[in-house]
Amino acid sequence: MKPMNNPLTKETPALRPYPAKLFVETTTRCNLQCPMCLKQRHDAEFLEGDISTDIFMALLPALPTLEVLVLNGIGEPLLHPRLDDFIGLAREKMDKNAWIGFQTNGLLIDGERAMSLVRAGVDRICLSVDAVSPATFSNIRQGGEFRNVEGAIKMLHAAKKTCNDRLEIGVEFVLRRDNIDELAETIQWAAAQGADFAIVTQLFPYHQALVSQTTYDANLDVSMSIFHEYMSRAEKEGIDIRRYYDVFMKYDKSAAEKKIIAFVESLVEDALRQGIALNLQKLFSTDHGWVEKMEKVFARARSVGTETGINLRLPEIIPKSARRCEFVEEGSIFVSWDGNVHPCYFLWHHYRCYINGVEKIVKPKVFGNLSARGILEIWNDPHFVSFRQNVLRYDYPFCFNCNFALCDYVEGGDFEQDCYINSEPCAVCLWCMDVFQCLK
């Protein structure tokens, strides 16, 4: 598939001499035990810790030119004892039009904490709300209760009314098969509570048991489009190409079976001419009824969003072939609690996940540590600049959509190159296809 046309200029945020967005992991500790979190894997490989004051102070040179500062990683940011101080310090250094925010489960927000955060200068707070029924909520956010989120929103609104009218309050909803019927109702509830925005994201399965909970399809949009086109044509001609895998290995084929083979071969040839990646087994096994159900779920959610005026961001049900890495394009930099600097969310931590049902080991991409080098020095390091330039060319295969997925090139954690000879492990990433969303 031809890479997306994205001319690189000095005005591209990724190539400026300073980052535009900064994602800072204030802590990896959490007060919940959500089953879908990578922290709940028994073999998760990372150390628990809080960002030190020295590491946070090392961020100061980047703050005056920042547009966005997000203060969360895989932990609960409100557990950091100096979070409010960090917000206040950043607010003093950042431009008045730049915003500071974080995502939280909201358990630690009472009236006093809400006032402290708002006075410090936080601009956006996004609360995790994956259902409005208490039972479903507690099953997903184990250790939390729905009433805690309700209370947190009320406290934040009271603090906003008192001392910071620019505060925006939002919710994040992680889609699962056991909660999608509550999506529209949750958005309706959030709007009724005065929420300004709602972020909806697909589930990133870190555990094999959660693969069956994912609600997005594994095929590309262009692959689905050409497949549906040929499926429709075949039906009109009375050819059942769904029998392809039943007949293609037969030695003695009937005339009808030969037509099936020829029709599928023409599909593959046409896709090849257009540069479209096909995974025939995935295409033939697609649950089209489920895709239609998800489209209806999203239609109801959009309707609620329009009626209530809440700013609603929905992910894709089918991955987009036109890649766009918002993290890199918009000049983002990610900092772990220990000071390591990374390029994006996908390459922020060491973990195992499931892509197209296959286990994938992901190792963090580290360009330096703030205890040894300055943040702007790391940002402008030739290796980091080259990485961002290469990403924005979008000349990567679609590994999850490949008939050989996942192959030895990309399956293991010790990634060297993909089959296009790229040294960036972006070919297996779904963030750039609008499948996953976050506060950004």
Side-chain angles (χ1 to χ4, degrees), residues 12-84:
T12 302
L15 302 184
R16 294 174 187 164
Y18 48 82
K21 294 187 175 184
L22 178 56
F23 295 76
V24 181
E25 183 174 66
T26 51
T27 182
T28 58
R29 296 182 296 123
C30 192
N31 49 359
L32 292 184
Q33 294 181 320
C34 305
M36 60 188 172
C37 178
L38 72 88
K39 287 169 60 68
Q40 301 310 313
R41 279 195 66 120
H42 70 280
D43 56 356
E45 298 181 26
F46 61 87
L47 297 174
E48 297 276 34
D50 295 350
I51 194 169
S52 68
T53 300
D54 288 343
I55 292 295
F56 192 85
M57 295 299 286
L59 304 174
L60 295 187
L63 297 185
T65 51
L66 276 187
E67 298 171 11
V68 173
L69 174 62
V70 178
L71 294 170
N72 61 263
I74 60 172
E76 169 51 53
L78 291 173
L79 286 172
H80 196 292
R82 294 207 61 197
L83 177 66
D84 305 42

Side-chain angles (χ1 to χ4, degrees), residues 6 34 50 55 100 106 109 145 167 191 267 271 296 304-305 307 327 336 343 347 368 373 379 399 401 416 419 432 434:
N6 186 53
C34 305
D50 295 350
I55 292 295
I100 303 169
I109 296 179
E145 294 184 30
L167 174 67
L267 161 63
K296 291 178 181 178
V304 171
E307 291 171 4
F327 296 129
S336 296
L347 300 175
R373 301 170 67 195
W379 173 258
C399 290
N401 207 52
E416 294 182 5
C419 61
C432 60
D434 282 349

Side-chain angles (χ1 to χ4, degrees), residues 8 20 51 54 67 96 102 116 155 180 320 334 362 369 376 432:
L8 300 176
I51 194 169
D54 288 343
E67 298 171 11
K96 64 179 182 179
F102 61 87
S116 176
M155 294 300 101
I180 59 168
K320 293 167 61 175
F334 288 69
V362 178
N369 188 283
L376 296 182
C432 60

Side-chain angles (χ1 to χ4, degrees), residues 356-402:
N356 206 1
V358 179
E359 187 177 52
K360 161 70 181 161
I361 301 172
V362 178
K363 289 188 176 180
K365 183 73 174 178
V366 181
F367 285 98
N369 188 283
L370 294 176
S371 62
R373 301 170 67 195
I375 187 168
L376 296 182
E377 179 187 354
I378 295 173
W379 173 258
N380 290 297
D381 184 284
H383 295 292
F384 198 176
V385 174
S386 176
F387 178 94
R388 299 194 299 271
Q389 289 174 328
N390 291 341
V391 168
L392 295 185
R393 293 189 178 96
Y394 295 114
D395 189 18
Y396 298 99
F398 292 91
C399 290
F400 65 91
N401 207 52
C402 175

Side-chain angles (χ1 to χ4, degrees), residues 143-264:
E145 294 184 30
F146 181 66
R147 60 185 177 87
N148 297 132
V149 178
E150 288 184 302
I153 290 183
K154 290 178 181 178
M155 294 300 101
L156 289 171
H157 272 296
K160 173 181 178 178
K161 187 176 181 180
T162 301
C163 57
N164 186 357
D165 193 48
R166 67 181 264 169
L167 174 67
E168 293 185 13
I169 303 168
V171 299
E172 183 195 49
F173 187 104
V174 180
L175 290 163
R176 298 161 47 116
R177 296 207 175 207
D178 57 6
N179 74 349
I180 59 168
D181 291 332
E182 295 191 39
L183 175 60
E185 187 180 356
T186 301
I187 296 169
Q188 183 81 56
W189 170 85
Q193 306 306 306
D196 301 288
F197 63 90
I199 301 170
V200 182
T201 182
Q202 297 284 3
L203 171 69
F204 195 164
Y206 296 108
H207 313 270
Q208 188 173 28
L210 290 173
V211 173
S212 61
Q213 282 284 354
T214 57
T215 67
Y216 58 91
D217 192 80
N219 296 289
L220 287 171
D221 53 357
V222 290
S223 304
M224 291 281 279
S225 178
I226 193 172
F227 181 76
H228 285 158
E229 175 190 339
Y230 271 78
M231 179 73 79
S232 177
R233 286 166 50 186
E235 289 177 354
K236 290 179 181 178
E237 296 182 29
I239 301 173
D240 185 6
I241 63 173
R242 289 170 296 185
R243 295 184 56 222
Y244 175 73
Y245 281 104
D246 295 329
V247 304
F248 88 106
M249 289 294 289
K250 289 180 64 175
Y251 177 76
D252 188 17
K253 300 181 182 68
S254 66
E257 291 170 342
K258 289 178 181 179
K259 284 185 177 181
I260 292 173
I261 300 299
F263 212 94
V264 173

